[in-house]
Amino acid sequence: AAVGKPVLYRYLGDRAAVVDALSEWLTEQVQAATFGNINPADPPRTALHSAVAGFVDTVVAQRGVFLFVNAGGHDVAVFDRLIRGAATPLAEVFTGTHTATSALTRSLAVVGMLQITVTAWLIEPHCSADQLVDDLVDLLWSGIGTTIT
């Protein structure tokens, strides 16, 4: 349904509040799709592929929202909360073989890579979504695959 700015601002406040609300919603969608795609019985590389595919599929389906919130100029606290909200569950993948701080560093790096790469791809797609997922998984696996058991 089409909703104009005056209606949004009446219910949510200013532009920053709209960005924050959409960011929270999108983060929940990405987390559900990313971790909902993972089958615990799958080998680690297959699980990684499922997670990346869930992220890309969600961002493609919510292209406008993703680009809007990533250009939204969050304040630092909101941005940190959103990034850590995406990275913290992913850190569990690394906790079996790394300290908690090292696992968080790795998960933040993965989220950062996905964020930047997918944003650039949405603006100017240079390959199919499937190829993008395969390339991201290859790159990620070459850096983290040997550290996950």
Side-chain angles (χ1 to χ4, degrees), residues 3-123:
V3 176
K5 282 189 222 177
V7 173
L8 280 176
Y9 291 165
R10 185 174 333 129
Y11 289 99
L12 295 173
D14 60 5
R15 184 178 193 279
V18 172
V19 171
D20 292 349
L22 287 172
S23 296
E24 293 289 345
W25 176 82
L26 186 61
T27 298
E28 291 169 7
Q29 300 302 306
V30 166
Q31 286 177 338
T34 300
F35 297 104
N37 272 4
I38 296 174
N39 178 349
D42 283 344
R45 184 181 171 104
T46 301
L48 177 64
H49 190 279
S50 297
V52 171
F55 177 86
V56 171
D57 290 347
T58 302
V59 168
V60 167
Q62 302 301 333
R63 182 183 191 279
V65 174
F66 182 84
L67 291 173
F68 177 75
V69 300
N70 280 293
H74 298 290
D75 73 30
V76 173
V78 171
F79 183 75
D80 182 62
R81 188 177 76 246
L82 295 171
I83 296 301
R84 287 181 192 277
T88 301
L90 181 59
E92 294 176 22
V93 172
F94 300 108
T95 56
T97 54
H98 296 86
T99 65
T101 55
S102 182
L104 182 58
T105 298
R106 283 167 169 71
S107 66
L108 288 166
V110 169
V111 169
M113 184 186 84
L114 291 174
Q115 224 25 42
I116 296 299
T117 305
V118 173
T119 299
W121 177 81
L122 285 172
I123 294 167

